[in-house]
Amino acid sequence: MADTAGHTVIHTRRRRSIRAAADAFGGPRTGTRHPLVAAAMVLPMAILLTITFGGWEAVVTQASSVAGMLGR
């Protein structure tokens, strides 16, 4: 049979050190973010990338296709 007790101790210590590091840098936040907050975080970068790489026509085409499928 394999020696698993040593591995368990190592993994437990590693998890504790990872948790301690995460807590030192603010840690992961639990809970959910409001969809409008998420959109406000993503949209500026999306707009910047769209303008930078010239994908505005593709965005408009996709948006009109989605609007057409929704019946608007």
Side-chain angles (χ1 to χ4, degrees), residues 30-69:
T30 58
T32 58
R33 184 176 286 125
H34 193 276
L36 291 178
V37 174
M41 293 170 60
V42 171
L43 282 178
M45 181 57 86
I47 292 170
L48 176 71
L49 290 172
T50 300
I51 293 170
T52 302
F53 293 108
W56 188 248
E57 293 83 13
V59 172
V60 171
T61 303
Q62 290 295 323
S64 65
S65 297
V66 170
M69 287 185 353

